[in-house]
Amino acid sequence: MFAISGKTVTAALMPSPRKDREDQRIAKLLARAGVASRREVERMIAAGRIAIDGKTLDTPATLVKSLHGVSVDGQPVGQPIPAKLYSFHKPAGVLTTERDPKGRPTIYDKLPKGLPRLMPVGRLDLNTEGLLLLTNDGGLKRQMELPSSGVERIYRARAFGDISQDQLERLIGGITIDGVRYGPIDANLERRTGRNQWIELKLAEGKNREVRKVLEHFGLKVSRLIRTAYGPFSLGDIPKGGVEQVRQHDLVKFRQSLK
């Protein structure tokens, strides 16, 4: 947790010990440590808020092997805390970002007080609701987001229009839309009322607005989109705006299963 008012700035993640550490940009290491996003760290350096052994930094390109001797606002970066993962029920109409120039609400406006500094795993667009995982561990975040990790996401979409299960079956081999290739999607009609239907979609890539673009390609109009699961973690009965911490045992087991 990054706390300027406290005695130390506690990092969410420090680079794991290695015999031969390579020099890395300090902005990158501090972002991985959960002090702030890389972009925010760059702004903090420009504002003269970060120093090494008491010497103020003037460039985010500074190369270091570790965060030893690094301070933020005069307070040393503290010892790492264990990786944590939280399940957040993101409401529709909320942005997955730290701040919005237009003043629209973000997930950080909705999160309860007292949590460590958390980063979203992937994103949900403004009008998409449901499960958003949050972590204090930059390494875990990247690992879960990589398509090569094969972490499955499950969505439920309410869409208006005409579609058959046979048409949806074509998505299992992937599809190219406007020059963009989308990987395999397992899509199934759940129920239909008139020309409105609920469709469940399972995918492992999660490109920007992927579900909406794929369904719109079939002439459907998506009126509601909910992510119900990310890997083995499900939305369950978490209320909108609610947060639950994933049990450490389940998190460790999941990390061991990642490719």
Side-chain angles (χ1 to χ4, degrees), residues 48-120:
R49 297 174 57 191
I50 298 175
I52 299 180
D53 296 328
K55 182 178 179 181
T56 302
L57 296 185
D58 57 8
T59 173
T62 300
L63 299 177
V64 295
K65 284 182 167 52
S66 75
L67 293 177
H68 179 72
V70 176
S71 60
V72 179
D73 293 336
Q75 306 300 331
V77 173
Q79 294 302 310
I81 60 175
K84 296 181 180 180
L85 188 67
Y86 295 80
S87 298
F88 172 56
H89 188 158
K90 176 191 172 298
V94 176
L95 290 168
T96 308
T97 186
E98 286 193 52
R99 58 180 62 83
D100 178 53
K102 298 180 180 179
R104 292 172 294 181
T106 75
I107 58 171
Y108 294 99
D109 297 321
K110 303 298 181 180
L111 291 173
K113 305 293 184 183
L115 292 172
R117 186 185 185 281
L118 299 171
M119 300 168 281

